[in-house]
Each structure stands twice: as structure tokens, then as C-alpha cells.
Short mmCIF file of all heavy atoms in Angstrom, two decimals:
data_model
loop_
_atom_site.label_atom_id
_atom_site.label_comp_id
_atom_site.label_asym_id
_atom_site.label_seq_id
_atom_site.Cartn_x
_atom_site.Cartn_y
_atom_site.Cartn_z
N MET A 1 66.34 58.61 89.23
CA MET A 1 66.45 59.72 88.30
C MET A 1 67.92 59.97 87.98
O MET A 1 68.79 59.88 88.83
CB MET A 1 65.84 60.97 88.94
CG MET A 1 65.70 62.11 87.99
SD MET A 1 64.45 63.23 88.61
CE MET A 1 65.23 64.76 88.31
N ALA A 2 68.18 60.27 86.73
CA ALA A 2 69.56 60.48 86.27
C ALA A 2 70.12 61.79 86.83
O ALA A 2 69.40 62.76 87.04
CB ALA A 2 69.60 60.52 84.76
N ARG A 3 71.42 61.77 87.03
CA ARG A 3 72.12 62.96 87.52
C ARG A 3 72.14 64.01 86.42
O ARG A 3 72.32 63.70 85.24
CB ARG A 3 73.55 62.54 87.87
CG ARG A 3 74.47 63.69 88.24
CD ARG A 3 75.88 63.21 88.49
NE ARG A 3 76.62 62.82 87.31
CZ ARG A 3 77.22 63.67 86.47
NH1 ARG A 3 77.14 64.96 86.66
NH2 ARG A 3 77.89 63.22 85.42
N GLN A 4 71.94 65.26 86.80
CA GLN A 4 72.01 66.36 85.84
C GLN A 4 73.46 66.54 85.39
O GLN A 4 74.38 66.50 86.20
CB GLN A 4 71.53 67.66 86.48
CG GLN A 4 70.06 67.69 86.76
CD GLN A 4 69.27 68.06 85.50
OE1 GLN A 4 69.67 67.79 84.38
NE2 GLN A 4 68.13 68.66 85.70
N LYS A 5 73.65 66.71 84.10
CA LYS A 5 75.00 66.94 83.58
C LYS A 5 75.42 68.39 83.87
O LYS A 5 74.60 69.30 83.83
CB LYS A 5 75.04 66.69 82.08
CG LYS A 5 74.83 65.24 81.72
CD LYS A 5 75.12 65.02 80.25
CE LYS A 5 74.79 63.65 79.78
NZ LYS A 5 75.38 62.56 80.44
N THR A 6 76.69 68.55 84.13
CA THR A 6 77.21 69.90 84.35
C THR A 6 77.30 70.62 83.01
O THR A 6 77.25 69.99 81.94
CB THR A 6 78.62 69.85 84.97
OG1 THR A 6 79.52 69.25 84.02
CG2 THR A 6 78.64 69.07 86.28
N LYS A 7 77.46 71.92 83.06
CA LYS A 7 77.60 72.67 81.82
C LYS A 7 78.84 72.21 81.08
O LYS A 7 78.83 72.08 79.85
CB LYS A 7 77.66 74.18 82.08
CG LYS A 7 77.69 74.97 80.79
CD LYS A 7 77.51 76.44 80.99
CE LYS A 7 77.45 77.13 79.62
NZ LYS A 7 77.25 78.56 79.76
N GLU A 8 79.91 71.93 81.79
CA GLU A 8 81.15 71.44 81.16
C GLU A 8 80.88 70.13 80.42
O GLU A 8 81.35 69.94 79.29
CB GLU A 8 82.22 71.24 82.24
CG GLU A 8 83.54 70.78 81.72
CD GLU A 8 84.45 71.91 81.26
OE1 GLU A 8 84.13 73.09 81.48
OE2 GLU A 8 85.49 71.59 80.67
N GLU A 9 80.14 69.23 81.02
CA GLU A 9 79.81 67.95 80.37
C GLU A 9 78.95 68.17 79.13
O GLU A 9 79.14 67.52 78.10
CB GLU A 9 79.10 67.03 81.34
CG GLU A 9 79.99 66.51 82.46
CD GLU A 9 79.24 65.80 83.56
OE1 GLU A 9 78.09 66.19 83.87
OE2 GLU A 9 79.79 64.85 84.12
N ARG A 10 77.99 69.08 79.23
CA ARG A 10 77.12 69.38 78.09
C ARG A 10 77.91 70.02 76.95
O ARG A 10 77.73 69.68 75.78
CB ARG A 10 75.96 70.27 78.51
CG ARG A 10 74.99 69.53 79.44
CD ARG A 10 73.81 70.38 79.87
NE ARG A 10 74.27 71.38 80.84
CZ ARG A 10 73.98 72.67 80.80
NH1 ARG A 10 73.21 73.16 79.85
NH2 ARG A 10 74.44 73.50 81.71
N LEU A 11 78.83 70.92 77.30
CA LEU A 11 79.67 71.56 76.29
C LEU A 11 80.56 70.52 75.60
O LEU A 11 80.71 70.54 74.37
CB LEU A 11 80.55 72.64 76.92
CG LEU A 11 79.85 73.95 77.24
CD1 LEU A 11 80.71 74.81 78.16
CD2 LEU A 11 79.49 74.70 75.97
N PHE A 12 81.12 69.60 76.37
CA PHE A 12 81.96 68.56 75.80
C PHE A 12 81.16 67.70 74.81
O PHE A 12 81.62 67.44 73.70
CB PHE A 12 82.55 67.69 76.91
CG PHE A 12 83.44 66.60 76.40
CD1 PHE A 12 84.73 66.87 76.01
CD2 PHE A 12 82.98 65.30 76.32
CE1 PHE A 12 85.56 65.86 75.52
CE2 PHE A 12 83.79 64.29 75.84
CZ PHE A 12 85.09 64.57 75.44
N ALA A 13 79.96 67.31 75.19
CA ALA A 13 79.12 66.48 74.32
C ALA A 13 78.82 67.19 73.01
O ALA A 13 78.95 66.62 71.92
CB ALA A 13 77.84 66.09 75.05
N ALA A 14 78.42 68.45 73.10
CA ALA A 14 78.10 69.21 71.89
C ALA A 14 79.34 69.43 71.04
O ALA A 14 79.28 69.39 69.81
CB ALA A 14 77.46 70.55 72.27
N ALA A 15 80.48 69.65 71.68
CA ALA A 15 81.73 69.86 70.95
C ALA A 15 82.13 68.60 70.19
O ALA A 15 82.61 68.67 69.05
CB ALA A 15 82.84 70.28 71.91
N VAL A 16 81.93 67.43 70.80
CA VAL A 16 82.25 66.17 70.12
C VAL A 16 81.37 66.00 68.89
O VAL A 16 81.85 65.63 67.81
CB VAL A 16 82.10 64.98 71.10
CG1 VAL A 16 82.09 63.65 70.35
CG2 VAL A 16 83.21 65.00 72.13
N VAL A 17 80.09 66.32 69.02
CA VAL A 17 79.18 66.22 67.87
C VAL A 17 79.64 67.16 66.76
O VAL A 17 79.79 66.75 65.60
CB VAL A 17 77.73 66.53 68.28
CG1 VAL A 17 76.83 66.68 67.06
CG2 VAL A 17 77.19 65.46 69.21
N ARG A 18 79.87 68.40 67.11
CA ARG A 18 80.26 69.39 66.10
C ARG A 18 81.58 69.02 65.43
O ARG A 18 81.71 69.06 64.20
CB ARG A 18 80.37 70.78 66.72
CG ARG A 18 80.75 71.83 65.71
CD ARG A 18 80.69 73.21 66.31
NE ARG A 18 81.15 74.18 65.36
CZ ARG A 18 80.39 74.78 64.45
NH1 ARG A 18 79.12 74.50 64.39
NH2 ARG A 18 80.89 75.64 63.61
N ARG A 19 82.57 68.65 66.21
CA ARG A 19 83.89 68.32 65.67
C ARG A 19 83.82 67.08 64.78
O ARG A 19 84.47 67.02 63.73
CB ARG A 19 84.88 68.10 66.82
CG ARG A 19 86.28 67.79 66.38
CD ARG A 19 86.98 69.01 65.87
NE ARG A 19 88.40 68.68 65.70
CZ ARG A 19 89.14 69.10 64.69
NH1 ARG A 19 88.63 69.91 63.79
NH2 ARG A 19 90.40 68.75 64.60
N SER A 20 83.03 66.10 65.16
CA SER A 20 82.88 64.89 64.36
C SER A 20 82.37 65.21 62.96
O SER A 20 82.88 64.71 61.96
CB SER A 20 81.93 63.91 65.04
OG SER A 20 82.46 63.48 66.26
N PHE A 21 81.37 66.07 62.89
CA PHE A 21 80.83 66.45 61.59
C PHE A 21 81.80 67.34 60.83
O PHE A 21 81.94 67.23 59.61
CB PHE A 21 79.48 67.15 61.75
CG PHE A 21 78.35 66.19 61.92
CD1 PHE A 21 78.04 65.65 63.16
CD2 PHE A 21 77.57 65.80 60.83
CE1 PHE A 21 77.00 64.76 63.31
CE2 PHE A 21 76.52 64.90 60.97
CZ PHE A 21 76.24 64.38 62.22
N ALA A 22 82.50 68.23 61.54
CA ALA A 22 83.45 69.12 60.88
C ALA A 22 84.59 68.34 60.24
O ALA A 22 85.02 68.66 59.12
CB ALA A 22 84.00 70.13 61.89
N LEU A 23 85.07 67.31 60.90
CA LEU A 23 86.17 66.51 60.36
C LEU A 23 85.76 65.78 59.09
O LEU A 23 86.61 65.47 58.25
CB LEU A 23 86.67 65.51 61.41
CG LEU A 23 87.45 66.15 62.55
CD1 LEU A 23 87.67 65.13 63.67
CD2 LEU A 23 88.77 66.72 62.06
N ARG A 24 84.48 65.51 58.94
CA ARG A 24 83.99 64.86 57.72
C ARG A 24 83.56 65.89 56.67
O ARG A 24 83.08 65.53 55.60
CB ARG A 24 82.80 63.97 58.06
CG ARG A 24 83.18 62.76 58.89
CD ARG A 24 82.05 61.74 58.97
NE ARG A 24 80.79 62.29 59.38
CZ ARG A 24 80.25 62.17 60.59
NH1 ARG A 24 80.89 61.51 61.54
NH2 ARG A 24 79.08 62.68 60.87
N GLY A 25 83.69 67.18 57.00
CA GLY A 25 83.30 68.23 56.06
C GLY A 25 81.80 68.39 55.91
O GLY A 25 81.33 68.91 54.90
N GLU A 26 81.05 67.98 56.92
CA GLU A 26 79.59 68.01 56.83
C GLU A 26 78.94 69.07 57.72
O GLU A 26 77.71 69.12 57.81
CB GLU A 26 79.04 66.63 57.22
CG GLU A 26 79.51 65.52 56.31
CD GLU A 26 79.08 64.14 56.77
OE1 GLU A 26 78.52 64.01 57.88
OE2 GLU A 26 79.32 63.18 56.02
N GLU A 27 79.73 69.93 58.35
CA GLU A 27 79.15 70.89 59.29
C GLU A 27 78.30 71.98 58.65
O GLU A 27 77.57 72.68 59.33
CB GLU A 27 80.24 71.51 60.18
CG GLU A 27 81.09 72.55 59.49
CD GLU A 27 82.30 71.99 58.75
OE1 GLU A 27 82.31 70.80 58.38
OE2 GLU A 27 83.24 72.76 58.54
N HIS A 28 78.36 72.11 57.33
CA HIS A 28 77.56 73.12 56.65
C HIS A 28 76.33 72.54 55.95
O HIS A 28 75.56 73.29 55.34
CB HIS A 28 78.42 73.90 55.66
CG HIS A 28 79.54 74.63 56.32
ND1 HIS A 28 79.35 75.68 57.19
CD2 HIS A 28 80.88 74.43 56.29
CE1 HIS A 28 80.50 76.11 57.64
NE2 HIS A 28 81.46 75.36 57.12
N GLN A 29 76.15 71.25 56.03
CA GLN A 29 75.00 70.62 55.39
C GLN A 29 73.73 70.87 56.22
O GLN A 29 73.77 70.98 57.45
CB GLN A 29 75.23 69.12 55.22
CG GLN A 29 76.33 68.83 54.22
CD GLN A 29 76.51 67.34 54.01
OE1 GLN A 29 75.83 66.51 54.57
NE2 GLN A 29 77.48 66.99 53.16
N ALA A 30 72.62 70.94 55.53
CA ALA A 30 71.33 71.24 56.18
C ALA A 30 70.98 70.22 57.25
O ALA A 30 70.48 70.59 58.32
CB ALA A 30 70.23 71.32 55.13
N ALA A 31 71.24 68.96 57.00
CA ALA A 31 70.90 67.92 57.98
C ALA A 31 71.68 68.12 59.28
O ALA A 31 71.13 67.98 60.38
CB ALA A 31 71.18 66.54 57.41
N PHE A 32 72.97 68.46 59.17
CA PHE A 32 73.75 68.71 60.37
C PHE A 32 73.22 69.92 61.11
O PHE A 32 73.05 69.90 62.32
CB PHE A 32 75.24 68.92 60.06
CG PHE A 32 75.98 69.49 61.25
CD1 PHE A 32 76.27 68.69 62.33
CD2 PHE A 32 76.34 70.83 61.28
CE1 PHE A 32 76.92 69.22 63.45
CE2 PHE A 32 76.98 71.36 62.38
CZ PHE A 32 77.27 70.55 63.47
N ARG A 33 72.98 71.01 60.39
CA ARG A 33 72.51 72.24 61.04
C ARG A 33 71.20 71.99 61.80
O ARG A 33 71.03 72.45 62.91
CB ARG A 33 72.31 73.36 60.01
CG ARG A 33 73.55 73.80 59.27
CD ARG A 33 74.69 74.27 60.14
NE ARG A 33 74.29 75.27 61.10
CZ ARG A 33 74.98 75.59 62.19
NH1 ARG A 33 76.12 75.01 62.45
NH2 ARG A 33 74.56 76.50 63.02
N PHE A 34 70.28 71.24 61.19
CA PHE A 34 69.01 70.92 61.83
C PHE A 34 69.24 70.11 63.11
O PHE A 34 68.72 70.43 64.17
CB PHE A 34 68.12 70.14 60.86
CG PHE A 34 66.82 69.73 61.45
CD1 PHE A 34 65.77 70.63 61.54
CD2 PHE A 34 66.63 68.43 61.91
CE1 PHE A 34 64.55 70.26 62.09
CE2 PHE A 34 65.43 68.05 62.47
CZ PHE A 34 64.39 68.96 62.56
N MET A 35 70.05 69.06 63.00
CA MET A 35 70.33 68.20 64.14
C MET A 35 71.08 68.96 65.23
O MET A 35 70.76 68.87 66.41
CB MET A 35 71.13 66.98 63.67
CG MET A 35 71.47 65.96 64.73
SD MET A 35 72.96 66.26 65.71
CE MET A 35 74.20 66.51 64.48
N TYR A 36 72.06 69.75 64.84
CA TYR A 36 72.88 70.47 65.81
C TYR A 36 72.07 71.51 66.57
O TYR A 36 72.26 71.68 67.77
CB TYR A 36 74.07 71.11 65.08
CG TYR A 36 75.09 71.73 65.99
CD1 TYR A 36 75.74 70.98 66.95
CD2 TYR A 36 75.41 73.07 65.87
CE1 TYR A 36 76.69 71.54 67.78
CE2 TYR A 36 76.36 73.65 66.69
CZ TYR A 36 77.00 72.88 67.65
OH TYR A 36 77.93 73.45 68.47
N ARG A 37 71.16 72.19 65.89
CA ARG A 37 70.28 73.13 66.61
C ARG A 37 69.49 72.40 67.68
O ARG A 37 69.29 72.92 68.78
CB ARG A 37 69.35 73.84 65.63
CG ARG A 37 70.02 74.98 64.89
CD ARG A 37 69.02 75.89 64.18
NE ARG A 37 68.21 75.19 63.20
CZ ARG A 37 68.52 75.02 61.92
NH1 ARG A 37 69.65 75.54 61.46
NH2 ARG A 37 67.73 74.38 61.11
N GLY A 38 69.05 71.18 67.39
CA GLY A 38 68.34 70.38 68.39
C GLY A 38 69.22 69.99 69.56
O GLY A 38 68.79 70.02 70.71
N VAL A 39 70.48 69.65 69.27
CA VAL A 39 71.43 69.32 70.33
C VAL A 39 71.62 70.54 71.24
O VAL A 39 71.57 70.43 72.47
CB VAL A 39 72.77 68.85 69.74
CG1 VAL A 39 73.86 68.80 70.80
CG2 VAL A 39 72.62 67.49 69.08
N LEU A 40 71.84 71.70 70.63
CA LEU A 40 72.03 72.92 71.41
C LEU A 40 70.80 73.21 72.26
O LEU A 40 70.93 73.55 73.45
CB LEU A 40 72.34 74.10 70.49
CG LEU A 40 73.67 74.04 69.75
CD1 LEU A 40 73.78 75.20 68.78
CD2 LEU A 40 74.84 74.01 70.71
N ARG A 41 69.63 73.07 71.68
CA ARG A 41 68.39 73.32 72.42
C ARG A 41 68.26 72.34 73.58
O ARG A 41 68.01 72.75 74.72
CB ARG A 41 67.20 73.19 71.48
CG ARG A 41 65.85 73.44 72.17
CD ARG A 41 64.68 72.95 71.36
NE ARG A 41 64.77 71.48 71.26
CZ ARG A 41 64.73 70.80 70.12
NH1 ARG A 41 64.60 71.41 68.96
NH2 ARG A 41 64.83 69.49 70.12
N ASP A 42 68.44 71.06 73.29
CA ASP A 42 68.26 70.03 74.32
C ASP A 42 69.28 70.15 75.46
O ASP A 42 68.97 69.83 76.60
CB ASP A 42 68.34 68.64 73.71
CG ASP A 42 67.16 68.32 72.81
OD1 ASP A 42 66.17 69.11 72.79
OD2 ASP A 42 67.22 67.30 72.10
N LEU A 43 70.48 70.59 75.12
CA LEU A 43 71.52 70.74 76.14
C LEU A 43 71.56 72.14 76.74
O LEU A 43 72.39 72.42 77.60
CB LEU A 43 72.89 70.39 75.54
CG LEU A 43 73.06 68.93 75.11
CD1 LEU A 43 74.44 68.73 74.48
CD2 LEU A 43 72.85 67.98 76.27
N ASP A 44 70.66 73.01 76.29
CA ASP A 44 70.56 74.38 76.79
C ASP A 44 71.89 75.12 76.65
O ASP A 44 72.43 75.67 77.61
CB ASP A 44 70.08 74.38 78.24
CG ASP A 44 69.67 75.77 78.72
OD1 ASP A 44 69.27 76.60 77.87
OD2 ASP A 44 69.75 76.04 79.94
N LEU A 45 72.42 75.11 75.41
CA LEU A 45 73.69 75.74 75.12
C LEU A 45 73.55 76.71 73.96
O LEU A 45 72.64 76.60 73.15
CB LEU A 45 74.73 74.68 74.73
CG LEU A 45 75.11 73.66 75.79
CD1 LEU A 45 75.96 72.56 75.18
CD2 LEU A 45 75.83 74.32 76.96
N GLU A 46 74.51 77.62 73.86
CA GLU A 46 74.60 78.54 72.74
C GLU A 46 75.75 78.09 71.85
O GLU A 46 76.78 77.59 72.33
CB GLU A 46 74.87 79.97 73.23
CG GLU A 46 73.77 80.54 74.10
CD GLU A 46 72.48 80.76 73.34
OE1 GLU A 46 72.55 81.10 72.14
OE2 GLU A 46 71.42 80.57 73.95
N GLU A 47 75.60 78.28 70.56
CA GLU A 47 76.63 77.85 69.61
C GLU A 47 77.98 78.52 69.90
O GLU A 47 79.03 77.88 69.83
CB GLU A 47 76.19 78.15 68.17
CG GLU A 47 77.10 77.55 67.14
CD GLU A 47 76.50 77.54 65.75
OE1 GLU A 47 75.38 78.05 65.56
OE2 GLU A 47 77.16 77.00 64.86
N ALA A 48 77.97 79.78 70.27
CA ALA A 48 79.21 80.50 70.57
C ALA A 48 79.94 79.87 71.75
O ALA A 48 81.18 79.81 71.78
CB ALA A 48 78.92 81.97 70.85
N ASP A 49 79.20 79.37 72.73
CA ASP A 49 79.82 78.72 73.89
C ASP A 49 80.51 77.42 73.47
O ASP A 49 81.59 77.10 73.96
CB ASP A 49 78.78 78.44 74.97
CG ASP A 49 78.23 79.71 75.59
OD1 ASP A 49 78.94 80.74 75.60
OD2 ASP A 49 77.08 79.67 76.07
N VAL A 50 79.88 76.67 72.57
CA VAL A 50 80.47 75.42 72.09
C VAL A 50 81.73 75.72 71.28
O VAL A 50 82.75 75.05 71.43
CB VAL A 50 79.46 74.59 71.27
CG1 VAL A 50 80.11 73.33 70.71
CG2 VAL A 50 78.24 74.24 72.12
N GLU A 51 81.69 76.74 70.45
CA GLU A 51 82.85 77.12 69.66
C GLU A 51 84.01 77.54 70.57
O GLU A 51 85.16 77.14 70.33
CB GLU A 51 82.49 78.23 68.69
CG GLU A 51 81.57 77.76 67.58
CD GLU A 51 81.03 78.88 66.72
OE1 GLU A 51 81.47 80.04 66.87
OE2 GLU A 51 80.16 78.58 65.88
N ALA A 52 83.72 78.32 71.61
CA ALA A 52 84.77 78.72 72.55
C ALA A 52 85.32 77.51 73.29
O ALA A 52 86.54 77.41 73.52
CB ALA A 52 84.21 79.75 73.54
N TYR A 53 84.45 76.58 73.64
CA TYR A 53 84.89 75.36 74.32
C TYR A 53 85.83 74.58 73.41
O TYR A 53 86.86 74.08 73.85
CB TYR A 53 83.68 74.51 74.71
CG TYR A 53 84.07 73.28 75.50
CD1 TYR A 53 84.18 73.32 76.88
CD2 TYR A 53 84.35 72.08 74.85
CE1 TYR A 53 84.57 72.20 77.60
CE2 TYR A 53 84.72 70.95 75.56
CZ TYR A 53 84.84 71.02 76.92
OH TYR A 53 85.22 69.90 77.63
N LEU A 54 85.49 74.48 72.13
CA LEU A 54 86.34 73.76 71.18
C LEU A 54 87.73 74.40 71.07
O LEU A 54 88.73 73.68 71.01
CB LEU A 54 85.69 73.73 69.80
CG LEU A 54 84.85 72.51 69.49
CD1 LEU A 54 84.09 72.69 68.19
CD2 LEU A 54 85.70 71.26 69.44
N VAL A 55 87.79 75.70 71.06
CA VAL A 55 89.08 76.39 70.97
C VAL A 55 89.94 76.02 72.19
O VAL A 55 91.12 75.72 72.06
CB VAL A 55 88.89 77.91 70.88
CG1 VAL A 55 90.20 78.66 71.07
CG2 VAL A 55 88.25 78.28 69.54
N ALA A 56 89.33 76.00 73.35
CA ALA A 56 90.06 75.75 74.59
C ALA A 56 90.36 74.27 74.84
O ALA A 56 91.30 73.95 75.57
CB ALA A 56 89.28 76.33 75.77
N HIS A 57 89.56 73.37 74.25
CA HIS A 57 89.66 71.95 74.58
C HIS A 57 89.76 71.05 73.35
O HIS A 57 89.35 69.88 73.41
CB HIS A 57 88.44 71.53 75.41
CG HIS A 57 88.30 72.28 76.69
ND1 HIS A 57 88.97 71.94 77.83
CD2 HIS A 57 87.58 73.39 76.98
CE1 HIS A 57 88.65 72.79 78.80
NE2 HIS A 57 87.83 73.68 78.31
N LEU A 58 90.32 71.55 72.28
CA LEU A 58 90.36 70.79 71.03
C LEU A 58 91.06 69.45 71.18
O LEU A 58 90.58 68.43 70.68
CB LEU A 58 91.01 71.61 69.92
CG LEU A 58 91.01 70.97 68.54
CD1 LEU A 58 89.59 70.72 68.05
CD2 LEU A 58 91.77 71.83 67.56
N ALA A 59 92.18 69.42 71.89
CA ALA A 59 92.92 68.17 72.05
C ALA A 59 92.09 67.12 72.78
O ALA A 59 92.09 65.94 72.40
CB ALA A 59 94.23 68.41 72.79
N GLU A 60 91.36 67.52 73.79
CA GLU A 60 90.52 66.58 74.54
C GLU A 60 89.37 66.06 73.69
O GLU A 60 89.05 64.87 73.72
CB GLU A 60 89.95 67.26 75.79
CG GLU A 60 91.00 67.69 76.79
CD GLU A 60 90.46 68.77 77.70
OE1 GLU A 60 89.56 68.46 78.51
OE2 GLU A 60 90.92 69.91 77.58
N VAL A 61 88.77 66.94 72.91
CA VAL A 61 87.67 66.55 72.03
C VAL A 61 88.19 65.60 70.96
O VAL A 61 87.59 64.55 70.69
CB VAL A 61 86.97 67.78 71.42
CG1 VAL A 61 85.96 67.38 70.36
CG2 VAL A 61 86.30 68.60 72.52
N ASP A 62 89.32 65.94 70.35
CA ASP A 62 89.90 65.07 69.33
C ASP A 62 90.25 63.70 69.90
O ASP A 62 90.04 62.67 69.25
CB ASP A 62 91.13 65.71 68.70
CG ASP A 62 90.78 66.72 67.62
OD1 ASP A 62 89.58 66.83 67.25
OD2 ASP A 62 91.70 67.39 67.12
N ALA A 63 90.77 63.67 71.12
CA ALA A 63 91.10 62.39 71.75
C ALA A 63 89.84 61.55 71.96
O ALA A 63 89.85 60.34 71.77
CB ALA A 63 91.81 62.63 73.07
N ALA A 64 88.76 62.20 72.32
CA ALA A 64 87.51 61.49 72.57
C ALA A 64 86.95 60.86 71.29
O ALA A 64 86.29 59.82 71.36
CB ALA A 64 86.48 62.43 73.18
N ILE A 65 87.23 61.47 70.15
CA ILE A 65 86.70 60.91 68.90
C ILE A 65 87.75 60.10 68.15
O ILE A 65 87.55 59.71 67.01
CB ILE A 65 86.08 61.99 67.99
CG1 ILE A 65 87.07 63.07 67.64
CG2 ILE A 65 84.85 62.56 68.62
CD1 ILE A 65 86.54 64.11 66.67
N GLY A 66 88.89 59.87 68.81
CA GLY A 66 89.90 59.01 68.22
C GLY A 66 90.91 59.70 67.35
O GLY A 66 91.71 59.04 66.69
N ARG A 67 90.92 61.01 67.33
CA ARG A 67 91.88 61.74 66.50
C ARG A 67 93.25 61.86 67.17
O ARG A 67 94.22 62.14 66.51
CB ARG A 67 91.36 63.15 66.20
CG ARG A 67 90.15 63.21 65.35
CD ARG A 67 90.43 63.12 63.93
NE ARG A 67 91.30 64.23 63.52
CZ ARG A 67 91.71 64.41 62.30
NH1 ARG A 67 91.34 63.59 61.35
NH2 ARG A 67 92.49 65.42 61.99
N GLY A 68 93.31 61.66 68.45
CA GLY A 68 94.57 61.83 69.17
C GLY A 68 95.40 60.57 69.27
O GLY A 68 96.49 60.57 69.79
N ARG A 69 94.90 59.48 68.72
CA ARG A 69 95.62 58.19 68.81
C ARG A 69 96.66 58.08 67.70
O ARG A 69 96.44 58.51 66.59
CB ARG A 69 94.64 57.03 68.66
CG ARG A 69 93.69 56.94 69.79
CD ARG A 69 92.89 55.68 69.66
NE ARG A 69 91.57 55.92 70.22
CZ ARG A 69 90.49 55.28 69.89
NH1 ARG A 69 90.53 54.34 68.98
NH2 ARG A 69 89.34 55.55 70.45
N PRO A 70 97.81 57.46 68.02
CA PRO A 70 98.84 57.26 66.99
C PRO A 70 98.40 56.21 65.97
O PRO A 70 97.59 55.40 66.21
CB PRO A 70 100.05 56.78 67.77
CG PRO A 70 99.61 56.47 69.15
CD PRO A 70 98.23 57.02 69.33
#
């Protein structure tokens, strides 16, 4: 059986998804909103928690999606 992810790991995953879509300007499209609600539900997270995580960890999230590379 797979190890349960910590809340920090779940927040990071959701933040990467949200930031990836935001950088492409797609975070307000219906398809993203539908998919993102599912991510939040599946990871048992609240949108406000992911937003707060992004504020505190933006550099780490950007690095994970390749935005921090020269």
C-alpha cells in the first residue's frame, strides 16, 4: 500500500497544478476550474489553503515547474 502524503506534499502538488495553469493564463477557464475542484477534493484541500501555500512557497513551486532555471 502506498504511503499517505502529508498535507505539505498535497499542498505542494495542488500549488504546482494551479501555478502551471496560471502561468499560461488558463486559471479562469471552465475546464481548469472543473479539474482543479477535483484535485482539491481528491487531495482533501481547501482553495484558500493552496493560495496561502503559494504565497509562502512561490519560489519552490516555480522551481518545480522550471520557472526558476536560468
Side-chain angles (χ1 to χ4, degrees):
M1 189 158 137
R3 173 183 73 80
Q4 290 278 30
K5 292 190 187 304
T6 65
K7 185 170 185 179
E8 182 86 8
E9 291 169 326
R10 292 180 287 132
L11 283 166
F12 181 78
V16 166
V17 169
R18 181 173 176 88
R19 182 74 170 141
S20 296
F21 278 84
L23 288 169
R24 292 192 308 257
E26 298 174 353
E27 75 273 23
H28 298 293
Q29 292 183 1
F32 167 74
R33 298 303 309 161
F34 178 80
M35 182 274 307
Y36 188 59
R37 281 194 300 270
V39 167
L40 293 175
R41 180 196 65 232
D42 292 350
L43 295 177
D44 192 27
L45 297 171
E46 297 294 325
E47 189 166 3
D49 293 333
V50 177
E51 290 171 8
Y53 184 88
L54 266 171
V55 169
H57 300 276
L58 184 61
E60 296 159 69
V61 172
D62 279 353
I65 58 176
R67 294 277 300 180
R69 294 187 211 155

